[in-house]
Amino acid sequence: MEFLKPVFESGRIDFAGQRLASSLSSALVVGSAVVALLAGLATQKLSLCFYTYVCGIVLTYAAVLLPWPAFNRNPVVWLSRKAPAAASNDSVSQSLKTLVEDVSDDSDGGTSE
């Protein structure tokens, strides 16, 4: 079990890996449903159909829910954090003043020419 430890310690998948996991889960669920239906029709046993589908779902969970290295082939590189720029009160008040002036110019009803 030690060989699986690095796989589970990272626990991260990237955005491309999420897309792959979503596509894979959809394909595996539909595939297991088709196989289960065909197995049930061939044997005329509903229990075999049910058990085949449950096994397919369990295999889908094992393939998709675990953080396999194939889901982290394109890791996201984050930008370094910048120091927040100190916004001066003058620039904020100037922006608000400009906004108020623009709104008051539009509120004359369009009668000024």
Side-chain angles (χ1 to χ4, degrees), residues 4 6 14 41 47-48 51 60 64 71-72 75-76 81 84 98 110 112:
L4 288 177
D14 56 22
L41 285 175
S47 62
L48 180 66
Y51 290 130
T60 300
V64 175
F71 296 141
N72 198 17
V76 177
R81 186 175 184 165
T98 306
S112 64

Side-chain angles (χ1 to χ4, degrees), residues 7 9-14 67-68 71-72:
V7 173
E9 281 181 347
S10 69
R12 296 185 181 133
I13 64 173
D14 56 22
W68 298 108
F71 296 141
N72 198 17

Side-chain angles (χ1 to χ4, degrees), residues 9 14-16 23 30 54 57 59 68 81 84 86 97:
E9 281 181 347
D14 56 22
F15 294 116
S23 300
V30 170
V54 168
I57 295 298
L59 289 175
W68 298 108
R81 186 175 184 165
K97 183 178 178 183

Side-chain angles (χ1 to χ4, degrees), residues 9-93:
E9 281 181 347
S10 69
R12 296 185 181 133
I13 64 173
D14 56 22
F15 294 116
Q18 290 176 358
R19 189 178 313 115
L20 175 64
S22 176
S23 300
L24 187 64
S25 67
S26 297
L28 288 175
V29 166
V30 170
S32 64
V34 169
V35 169
L37 180 67
L38 292 176
L41 285 175
T43 60
Q44 293 293 309
K45 291 184 178 180
L46 185 61
S47 62
L48 180 66
C49 178
F50 176 74
Y51 290 130
T52 305
Y53 185 67
V54 168
C55 288
I57 295 298
V58 168
L59 289 175
T60 300
Y61 283 162
V64 175
L65 291 181
L66 300 177
W68 298 108
F71 296 141
N72 198 17
R73 290 186 181 162
N74 305 307
V76 177
V77 179
W78 298 98
L79 298 175
S80 61
R81 186 175 184 165
K82 294 181 180 179
S88 65
N89 289 337
D90 294 336
S91 65
V92 173
S93 63

Side-chain angles (χ1 to χ4, degrees), residues 94-107:
Q94 182 64 30
S95 298
L96 289 174
K97 183 178 178 183
T98 306
L99 180 64
V100 170
E101 288 173 355
D102 289 343
V103 171
S104 64
D105 288 343
D106 293 339
S107 65

